[in-house]
Amino acid sequence: MAHAAWRYVRRNLSLVVGIVLLGLLALFVGIGHLVVDTNKSRPLSAPAIRPPSADHPFGTDRQGRDLLATMVAGTPLTLRIGFIAGFLGVGIGSILGFVSAYYRGAVDSIIRGIVDIGLTVPGLLVLIIIAVSLRKGLTVDQMALIVASLAWLNPARTVRAQVLSMRERGYVEVARLSGMSGPEIIVKELMPNLLPYLAATLVNAVSAAILASIGLEVLGLGPIDSPTLGMTLYWVNFNAALINGWWWWWTAPIAIILVVFLGLFFLTVGLDEIANPRLRRVI
Amino acid sequence: MTTLLEARHATRIFGGGLFDRTATLALDDFSLAIDADRPAITGVVGESGSGKTTLARVLLGLTAPTTGQILYQSQDLQTMSRQGWRRFRRDVQVIFQDPYGVYNPFYRVDHMLTTPVAKFGLATSRAKARELIDDVLRAVGLRPEETLGRFPHQLSGGQRQRIMVARALLLSPRVILADEPVSMVDASLRATILASLSTMNRDRGISIVYITHDLATAYQISDTIVVLYRGSVAEIGDVELVVKQPRHPYTQLLLSSIPLASPERTWLTAKEPVPVAAADRSDTGCKFAARCPSVAPPCREAAPPLFQTDPARAVACYLYRDAPSASGDHSEPGRSSR
Amino acid sequence: MRLDYLARRCGVFVLIVWIAATLNFFLPRLSGQDPVRTKLLQQAQLGGYVHAGIDAMVKDYDRRFGLDRPLWEQYLSYLRDAVRLDFNYSIANYPRKVNEMIAEAVPWTIGLLGSTTLLSFALGTFLGALLAWPGAPRWMRYLMPPLWALHAIPFFLLGLVLIYLLAFEIQLFPMFGGYSGGAFPGFTVTFVWDVIRHAILPAMSIVLVATGGWALAMRGMMVTTQGEDYVTFAEAKGLRSLTIFTRYCLRNAILPQTTALALALGNILSGAVLVEVIFGYPGIGTVLFHAIRENDHFLIQGIVFTVIVALGLATLILDAIYPLLDPRINYRRT
Amino acid sequence: MRDLTVHYDTPLGAVRAADRISFSLCAGERLGFAGESGSGKSTMALAILRMIQPPGRIDGGQVRLDGVDLLSLGDEEMRRVRLARIALIPQGSMNALNPVMRIRDQIMDGLTDHGVRMSRREGDERVRELLESVGLGRDVAERFPHELSGGMKQRACIAIAISLRPRVIIADEPTSALDVVVQKQVMETLARVQKELDASVILVGHDMGLMAQFVDRVGVMYAGKLVEVSPVREIFTRSLHPYTRMLIASLPSLEKKGTFSGIPGLIPLLRDLPPGCAFHPRCPEAVARCRTEEPALREVRPDGWGACHLV
């Protein structure tokens, strides 16, 4: 059994590395919630600007937040934004992708037009305009919805491309001639082959959503009082932590963000390899 | 003569939309009738780009003709009721060309057979369904235990194509449309599959439309042959007449180009190769004019209609304009002319 | 054929410009009340630091976008201004005009963004091609994993790390800003050198990340191209391996790479905005950051519109160049 | 060629795609290799040009051209032999021409990489000459591959193949996927060009009709082995191997109906070949000896080689 497991690991190295990284993160947050008192992540709950010490392993920031508590509380919030926006994006995107690729006609050209133009427009700027307009106290979930508003563009494009190529295959025609209806063909014939691609697209969308949300937060457009990773970086920049040499203040969020992105990246590569084995030789 | 499946002046144009000026005429005023009473094998022969596949898709109702009608039991497909379509889908089956693209890699090959059984309710119980499937597999020369339960990539192209034939057989159809069924299969297996097609026609009374680029296989199993050139019928008639005494210059060119597997060396003539005229897609006149050795002025003005040169053969060529013109609307091959 | 293709591409560009203006106009109005008006009125009542300009602006704003005017009329006047790149005054630093401030910041962003994107694209593509070439030196193999891992990190994160390591600890480069405080902007050698020293860290944080991405994509494309029939035939023709590498593999693999560049411009710019904010680099990003902080709606809308249009232009240029690379494009309907 | 053997490493172990192939080719002769898919005919042809890509590898044997064993040459020497002395005409179905290069450049780069230095004008002249020799107009030089029809692309490949007047032309299924009328034109061009160069041609294919009308001698391959080599006339009248006879019988003729029949059974998988003669499970004339002992290819009659115990 061990040999087979080892062979599987060797074949899908990227996938395993991705899962391990995200597993570590989940462990950190899980144990953190048990061990650390997360409401210490609120301002004035600890002496300000303390380098990492016994009672504050990650040190404290200028507003008196215990950074370990902030990380333990903030990471799940950022991930939540990523997952909500990612799932919404892929959900809407794949439905639109499916419909436009399978039913073609005017619907297809409209969706294709929106997607092509939408992707050339820099997403962050549009999100800024939206966030600025909504200005009154954003919550984490509202943040997710804002990011989701553009997160569906890329999934729509990739799913449409996949379905278009599959649709020409013979087995869709045979299914139709065997009496299967349109939706049935989508679910029974196209969907199973699409799952690996969908999974890779989902992980991509989550990663892009997290990046967008952190970007907005760093610009100060995030949920001001929540301890998400992006907001922590905003305060780092706001208080010029770099220049003042408070290195511990930004190392923690950056380390965690790195683990998040590397984990998701390896996961995408791993899933891509499963989606089309030919890629396997490339890595 | 009651017709089973019939194309009446079917034409299909691709492109030609708002921006796309290059409209391609895939099928041009094509008429063909499959006889309901005497199931026969009709061979449709044509080069690539002659509209063979478009014809198959139009007859299957997968693509609607731009003008003209496709009738099944004298009902137009466009206006047929849902009930009518279900019957049409069951009675008219297909064998596709590519044994690799026709199988969904996600499922085992059984999926190709179990789906029609379920969808058309061919069997009351699972055992009955399995029995039905085993029969058709044996009918095409495959052993069920060696074939079922396998994934497509575990079977050879020949085996997969035979499963496709079995699938068509499963629904005991009245017509089978075979679009290049053996062109991607090895020579040794080609004969076996074509033989099973002709036994299906002979024993089970299934009319077959055999679409191919290979005139020799068409000759071997067809009763009637339609020679297609860029979407329109060049010559149509009894297979012996058309192959042994070809009338249309294009049919003659086709026959002379086939290298025969015999010791006599007649194929490689030493004459200078015919200068390949750029295929000018002139709209008016006979489409073959540009390449025709006996082209004449009338050929360039208008496309020649079908002339009934023999009781069982019609040719679309002005060389035979003194013959009575075949009944344009409804040319039944193999029937004595009125 | 070529003109038809270009005409369609220009059509898309005009569409992008129209969308940019529409987004700018409608999105703020999503939440019912017009945020610009509320901001202006707030500013006027403040009274604390009264500056006469605000009242003039409020009157001017009401004249053009007054509540009595129907929405579409407001929209039309907004469109007219947008096309003329006139975005009114900057609320926060009146009397400076918005397009004045943008004009100042744009060259910095183009300098940083343009150079880093081209550099990382060229370097990444060349590296990716080499990695797929059997004749490449062995040690190249080990270059791939670091580049690859770097590719997963957002630009501005690497920026933070670089500032700490190369500016704070080792003081090799300035930590902040586009040029030293006292320096007098002008085309003197010292000033230019000073600008370059300031731009190195931001540039590095973009190039190091983007290069990995291009290398990975190019290597994938090269591997597929090497499997193509025309490469096998090229070998059968006894061509030199360098000829096959450049004129057969590279020349074909570069096509999808260029399309990917056109698609990636949007993301690259979003990343660059954040890099500028982290480094306080005087480009569009920092101006936008301050505009957001001070709720300067006119400036925000001006920047967003200009950037979207600029990207639309860049994509149009790339689309115009593409047929030169791929002769088939003239005949194929895009 | 003496005992050429080619292996392919697959996850399920090494597969012998070509097994001890031996034959000799005279100057100006047309030798055909017929066989179905998986018979190893294309592998053998590519092995001559030493173009077997990993996971394939040539394991033994010799390929001598004018006395020089090509398998012992260095890579650079072998590169110079390709096109100059042995040229390949690719399969008709492949897109063998570089889609982003004009035809003229795809002819010229073959010449320049073999050290042929000529001015632009001489180059254009040479290209025009080559194109005309394969029946293509002068304007084709400036065209891109997607602007040419299937037949024209294949003739352009022939022009490239003969650009350095090679001694041997290997045509690997040159007209597969071409219509029968275009096929005839392409083969006529190949015949004329071969005569002008007095080069010899190896035609690899599965269409026995094409073999009958084009080549002088035919080698029949089955499951990686050469089972018969005979002059074309004798192959069709008194062949030495049951598989050849059944292959010919499976060809639909235009003379009489109902004369062609398939070969029962399945094409064997190269990784688990039956013991003894690989064809014995499908051979109607198989005897006990066929199941145990593999028949060697021997000269049964003058210039007639067969690998069958019954002959």
Side-chain angles (χ1 to χ4, degrees):
Chain A
M1 188 31 210
H3 173 66
W6 170 244
R7 209 159 53 72
Y8 182 81
V9 166
R10 212 158 43 72
R11 262 164 60 83
N12 308 351
L13 192 58
S14 329
L15 195 69
V16 169
V17 165
I19 293 172
V20 163
L21 282 174
L22 294 179
L24 283 178
L25 199 66
L27 218 62
F28 165 72
V29 171
I31 294 173
H33 271 284
L34 302 176
V35 168
V36 171
D37 162 14
T38 49
N39 45 38
K40 274 234 190 107
S41 62
R42 279 204 302 282
L44 306 177
S45 52
I49 318 285
R50 286 290 184 281
S53 58
D55 46 17
H56 297 295
F58 280 17
T60 63
D61 68 5
R62 197 150 176 260
Q63 279 102 354
R65 292 190 193 85
D66 170 76
L67 285 172
L68 175 59
T70 319
M71 288 305 111
V72 166
T75 309
L77 291 178
T78 302
L79 291 178
R80 207 158 92 105
I81 296 177
F83 279 105
I84 292 177
F87 274 91
L88 271 176
V90 170
I92 302 165
S94 44
I95 292 167
L96 288 177
F98 252 110
V99 163
S100 72
Y102 191 74
Y103 291 101
R104 306 302 302 272
V107 171
D108 179 28
S109 34
I110 296 168
I111 293 177
R112 196 168 68 85
I114 297 172
V115 166
D116 284 351
I117 292 174
L119 283 174
T120 49
V121 169
L124 189 64
L125 296 183
V126 176
L127 292 180
I128 288 169
I129 289 274
I130 301 173
V132 162
S133 328
L134 296 180
R135 213 53 190 92
K136 51 187 176 3
L138 279 175
T139 67
V140 168
D141 294 341
Q142 277 169 336
M143 189 68 171
L145 291 177
I146 294 175
V147 172
S149 65
L150 289 180
W152 62 273
L153 285 169
N154 201 32
R157 186 172 65 92
T158 35
V159 165
R160 178 176 173 279
Q162 276 307 326
V163 172
L164 267 183
S165 78
M166 276 191 212
R167 191 174 173 284
E168 305 309 322
R169 296 280 168 69
Y171 57 80
V172 170
E173 214 104 277
V174 168
R176 199 182 301 162
L177 292 175
S178 301
M180 283 168 107
S181 64
E184 230 175 331
I185 289 178
I186 289 184
V187 170
K188 273 208 181 138
E189 298 289 334
L190 296 182
M191 198 52 109
N193 292 312
L194 206 57
L195 286 183
Y197 286 104
L198 272 184
T201 317
L202 174 65
V203 173
N204 241 324
V206 167
S207 171
I210 293 178
L211 180 61
S213 69
I214 291 177
L216 283 176
E217 285 161 359
V218 162
L219 291 172
L221 290 166
I224 288 296
D225 42 26
S226 66
T228 65
L229 300 174
M231 284 318 294
T232 318
L233 286 180
Y234 172 71
W235 294 119
V236 159
N237 197 31
F238 190 81
N239 298 289
L242 275 167
I243 297 175
N244 297 316
W246 305 323
W247 55 270
W248 61 91
W249 190 347
W250 50 269
T251 359
I254 286 195
I256 290 182
I257 293 177
L258 281 189
V259 168
V260 168
F261 280 113
L262 281 176
L264 291 173
F265 175 74
F266 282 119
L267 214 56
T268 323
V269 171
L271 288 169
D272 272 347
E273 273 174 24
I274 294 175
N276 58 55
R278 190 183 45 73
L279 265 182
R280 204 180 292 278
R281 221 168 12 81
V282 166
I283 306 303
Chain B
M1 165 181 136
T2 57
T3 65
L4 195 57
L5 181 62
E6 183 186 357
R8 214 178 262 170
H9 302 297
T11 303
R12 173 67 193 179
I13 298 171
F14 286 110
L18 211 57
F19 301 103
D20 178 4
R21 287 179 310 282
T22 57
T24 46
L25 183 60
L27 206 56
D28 181 8
D29 184 24
F30 179 86
S31 297
L32 177 71
I34 310 291
D35 182 349
D37 315 331
R38 273 189 309 97
I41 297 184
T42 310
V44 177
V45 177
E47 290 178 333
S48 46
S50 60
K52 312 198 290 294
T53 309
T54 312
L55 173 63
R57 291 182 64 82
V58 162
L59 287 176
L60 279 168
L62 291 173
T63 321
T66 317
T67 59
Q69 294 172 305
I70 304 294
L71 305 156
Y72 180 64
Q73 291 172 335
S74 312
Q75 271 184 343
D76 187 339
L77 288 190
Q78 305 300 326
T79 58
M80 203 181 257
S81 65
R82 260 188 64 75
Q83 231 33 41
W85 263 93
R86 251 186 95 69
R87 175 128 292 287
F88 173 72
R89 267 286 164 264
R90 185 175 165 166
D91 287 355
V92 178
Q93 278 310 324
V94 72
I95 301 172
F96 282 118
Q97 167 178 13
D98 170 12
Y100 300 96
V102 178
Y103 289 87
N104 188 333
F106 185 78
Y107 295 103
R108 297 176 195 282
V109 286
D110 317 20
H111 175 72
M112 159 83 76
L113 299 167
T114 49
T115 311
V117 169
K119 280 293 146 193
F120 289 104
L122 302 175
T124 47
S125 71
R126 286 181 65 80
K128 186 82 175 56
R130 180 58 196 261
E131 193 192 304
L132 203 59
I133 289 176
D134 287 355
D135 289 348
V136 288
L137 283 177
R138 282 195 200 89
V140 293
L142 286 174
R143 278 196 291 278
E145 57 289 356
E146 242 178 44
T147 322
L148 295 177
R150 298 272 200 86
F151 280 99
H153 60 271
Q154 294 167 324
L155 298 175
S156 75
Q159 282 171 301
R160 278 194 282 219
Q161 201 60 358
R162 282 197 271 184
I163 294 174
M164 187 74 194
V165 175
R167 178 197 163 285
L169 208 52
L170 203 56
L171 294 139
S172 54
R174 312 256 333 251
V175 181
I176 288 184
L177 264 148
D179 179 9
E180 296 266 22
V182 288
S183 65
M184 290 175 75
V185 163
D186 273 304
S188 58
L189 201 54
R190 192 169 293 166
T192 323
I193 293 182
L194 291 178
S196 62
L197 282 183
S198 51
T199 38
M200 276 201 268
N201 168 261
R202 207 176 49 252
D203 304 350
R204 300 178 186 229
I206 302 173
S207 302
I208 293 180
V209 178
Y210 171 54
I211 298 174
T212 178
H213 65 279
D214 180 354
L215 192 51
T217 52
Y219 168 69
Q220 283 298 331
I221 70 166
S222 316
D223 306 315
T224 320
I225 275 196
V226 181
V227 178
L228 211 54
Y229 184 71
R230 276 175 50 203
S232 27
V233 175
E235 188 163 353
I236 180 167
D238 174 77
V239 69
E240 290 296 338
L241 278 176
V242 171
V243 171
K244 291 290 166 44
Q245 303 131 26
R247 287 273 194 277
H248 195 285
Y250 174 62
T251 319
Q252 287 157 0
L253 174 65
L254 265 185
L255 280 164
S256 69
S257 304
I258 298 175
L260 296 175
S262 71
E264 298 84 30
R265 283 288 176 86
T266 55
W267 187 57
L268 266 189
T269 51
K271 63 172 174 42
E272 268 312 292
V274 164
V276 178
D280 57 352
R281 304 269 162 170
S282 55
D283 300 338
T284 61
C286 170
K287 296 191 179 102
F288 188 61
R291 296 166 67 181
C292 182
S294 41
V295 66
C299 303
R300 295 205 188 282
E301 278 116 32
L306 276 168
F307 297 102
Q308 197 76 38
T309 54
D310 308 79
R313 177 238 304 278
V315 185
C317 177
Y318 284 120
L319 288 174
Y320 311 96
R321 55 182 172 278
D322 38 33
S325 92
S327 49
D329 62 341
H330 190 70
S331 57
E332 299 92 16
R335 223 171 54 78
S336 59
S337 77
R338 274 187 289 282
Chain C
M1 260 348 160
R2 276 289 303 279
L3 284 172
D4 168 44
Y5 166 75
L6 282 183
R8 198 145 6 87
R9 284 293 132 199
C10 295
V12 165
F13 173 64
V14 166
L15 202 59
I16 289 179
V17 169
W18 172 72
I19 284 180
T22 315
L23 279 181
N24 265 333
F25 180 79
F26 279 110
L27 284 180
R29 284 162 179 71
L30 274 185
S31 50
Q33 31 80 15
D34 173 352
V36 179
R37 167 167 299 100
T38 39
K39 175 72 187 93
L40 282 174
L41 297 180
Q42 254 171 15
Q43 202 85 348
Q45 283 129 26
L46 265 184
Y49 55 96
V50 176
H51 53 77
I54 272 293
D55 317 328
M57 269 166 58
V58 169
K59 275 196 233 44
D60 172 53
Y61 186 83
D62 276 347
R63 184 176 52 74
R64 270 194 284 171
F65 303 110
L67 273 184
D68 42 27
R69 300 279 293 281
L71 194 63
W72 60 268
E73 227 177 277
Q74 295 179 29
Y75 176 54
L76 280 184
S77 68
Y78 181 85
L79 274 186
R80 213 177 332 93
D81 295 346
V83 169
R84 289 206 317 273
L85 282 182
D86 158 22
F87 291 98
N88 215 314
Y89 294 97
S90 151
I91 299 174
N93 10 49
Y94 184 83
R96 297 196 57 193
K97 290 278 277 180
V98 163
N99 35 33
E100 221 178 84
M101 296 182 67
I102 293 178
E104 253 168 49
V106 161
W108 289 94
T109 302
I110 289 181
L112 176 69
L113 196 59
S115 56
T116 50
T117 308
L118 290 180
L119 185 64
S120 58
F121 181 76
L123 196 62
T125 305
F126 182 68
L127 221 58
L130 264 187
L131 284 170
W133 187 34
R138 293 306 305 152
W139 54 268
M140 296 279 283
R141 256 310 148 270
Y142 308 108
L143 205 57
M144 200 57 199
L147 265 180
W148 206 37
L150 271 175
H151 165 60
I153 309 165
F155 296 153
F156 66 94
L157 284 193
L158 187 61
L160 275 176
V161 172
L162 288 179
I163 291 178
Y164 181 70
L165 292 179
L166 301 179
F168 185 75
E169 289 293 339
I170 313 169
Q171 263 106 20
L172 196 59
F173 296 105
M175 286 183 65
F176 206 64
Y179 47 86
S180 319
F184 175 73
F187 278 97
T188 61
V189 171
T190 48
F191 177 73
V192 167
W193 171 240
D194 185 38
V195 164
I196 290 174
R197 265 186 73 245
H198 278 81
I200 282 185
L201 281 192
M204 261 173 71
S205 58
I206 296 180
V207 168
L208 283 179
V209 175
T211 307
W214 296 120
L216 189 65
M218 187 60 179
R219 182 186 145 129
M221 264 328 292
M222 284 295 281
V223 168
T224 354
T225 327
Q226 277 164 357
E228 293 284 353
D229 303 327
Y230 49 82
V231 171
T232 322
F233 185 49
E235 273 155 33
K237 278 163 64 173
L239 298 184
R240 280 181 222 288
S241 127
L242 190 65
T243 319
I244 297 178
F245 174 68
T246 48
R247 298 183 58 166
Y248 283 76
C249 293
L250 198 60
R251 184 64 182 68
N252 277 285
I254 204 82
L255 302 178
Q257 192 81 343
T258 323
T259 330
L261 176 62
L263 282 176
L265 286 180
N267 295 344
I268 294 175
L269 184 103
S270 306
V273 161
L274 295 174
V275 164
E276 285 183 6
V277 167
I278 297 291
F279 282 93
Y281 191 77
I284 287 276
T286 311
V287 173
L288 182 62
F289 178 58
H290 295 310
I292 293 171
R293 249 210 186 133
E294 286 139 7
N295 247 310
D296 185 340
H297 282 281
F298 288 149
L299 188 52
I300 295 174
Q301 288 174 353
I303 291 176
V304 169
F305 180 81
T306 326
V307 166
I308 292 179
V309 165
L311 272 180
L313 207 61
T315 322
L316 180 64
I317 293 164
L318 270 176
D319 282 344
I321 293 169
Y322 191 79
L324 305 179
L325 293 174
D326 183 352
R328 291 166 290 190
I329 204 72
N330 303 352
Y331 295 92
R332 207 173 37 160
R333 285 285 155 270
T334 45
Chain D
M1 181 181 291
R2 282 288 162 276
D3 295 333
L4 178 86
T5 309
V6 174
H7 278 99
Y8 275 87
D9 298 326
T10 65
L12 308 163
V15 161
R16 187 176 301 170
D19 180 10
R20 298 190 301 275
I21 311 283
S22 307
F23 68 87
S24 56
L25 176 71
C26 319
E29 183 190 18
R30 293 184 192 158
L31 175 61
F33 282 94
E36 295 176 294
S37 47
S39 63
K41 55 186 188 309
S42 286
T43 312
M44 182 272 301
L46 289 178
I48 299 175
L49 280 160
R50 273 197 23 214
M51 281 181 56
I52 298 289
Q53 310 287 354
R57 47 186 162 72
I58 299 177
D59 281 350
Q62 292 169 346
V63 180
R64 309 181 79 79
L65 175 66
D66 286 342
V68 172
D69 179 10
L70 299 182
L71 299 189
S72 60
L73 293 178
D75 286 345
E76 183 53 20
E77 286 165 312
M78 186 60 204
R79 182 187 72 76
R80 270 200 288 278
V81 162
R82 293 193 192 107
L83 193 67
R85 299 174 60 75
I86 302 183
L88 173 75
I89 298 176
Q91 290 207 5
S93 56
M94 299 200 293
N95 47 21
L97 293 169
N98 187 344
V100 287
M101 254 167 100
R102 294 179 195 279
I103 300 296
R104 169 174 38 79
D105 303 331
Q106 304 200 40
I107 296 178
M108 288 306 293
D109 64 9
L111 301 177
T112 32
D113 272 17
H114 283 80
V116 174
R117 288 288 165 271
M118 47 172 71
S119 72
R120 178 63 197 272
R121 207 179 39 72
E122 282 161 349
D124 288 350
E125 186 49 30
R126 181 79 178 109
V127 165
R128 189 189 55 72
E129 209 181 282
L130 281 170
L131 289 177
E132 252 147 40
S133 73
V134 290
L136 288 176
R138 155 199 285 273
D139 59 304
V140 168
E142 296 312 312
R143 295 267 198 81
F144 287 99
H146 66 274
E147 296 167 302
L148 305 179
S149 71
M152 291 164 84
K153 270 192 266 198
Q154 208 51 12
R155 294 146 91 86
C157 288
I158 296 177
I160 293 172
I162 60 168
S163 54
L164 288 167
R165 309 184 70 80
R167 301 283 293 136
V168 176
I169 299 175
I170 299 179
D172 181 3
E173 307 227 19
T175 55
S176 61
L178 293 182
D179 288 315
V180 65
V181 174
V182 175
Q183 164 176 283
K184 183 175 180 195
Q185 288 161 355
V186 169
M187 292 311 282
E188 275 163 356
T189 311
L190 183 57
R192 192 164 39 72
V193 142
Q194 183 237 352
K195 240 190 238 66
E196 277 156 23
L197 293 175
D198 187 30
S200 31
V201 169
I202 294 181
L203 176 64
V204 173
H206 57 273
D207 181 346
M208 289 301 275
L210 199 59
M211 295 294 169
Q213 298 296 336
F214 189 82
V215 297
D216 307 326
R217 265 188 326 140
V218 180
V220 177
M221 293 187 69
Y222 185 77
K225 299 176 180 58
L226 200 50
V227 293
E228 175 168 7
V229 185
S230 305
V232 69
R233 187 168 299 287
E234 285 171 21
I235 282 272
F236 286 92
T237 49
R238 44 198 183 96
S239 114
L240 296 168
H241 197 284
Y243 175 64
T244 315
R245 283 192 289 278
M246 293 179 86
L247 202 56
I248 295 170
S250 74
L251 288 173
S253 85
L254 281 165
E255 264 79 37
K256 348 203 254 323
K257 290 182 82 163
T259 59
F260 76 118
S261 56
I263 303 176
L266 297 174
I267 297 175
L269 293 177
L270 286 177
R271 55 175 178 276
D272 58 9
L273 288 177
C277 165
F279 185 60
H280 85 262
R282 306 171 77 186
C283 178
E285 304 157 25
V287 293
R289 196 170 160 218
C290 299
R291 272 180 282 285
T292 51
E293 188 194 329
E294 187 184 339
L297 186 66
R298 47 190 173 66
E299 190 158 13
V300 174
R301 55 170 183 258
D303 206 8
W305 298 70
C308 177
H309 297 308
L310 308 175
V311 173

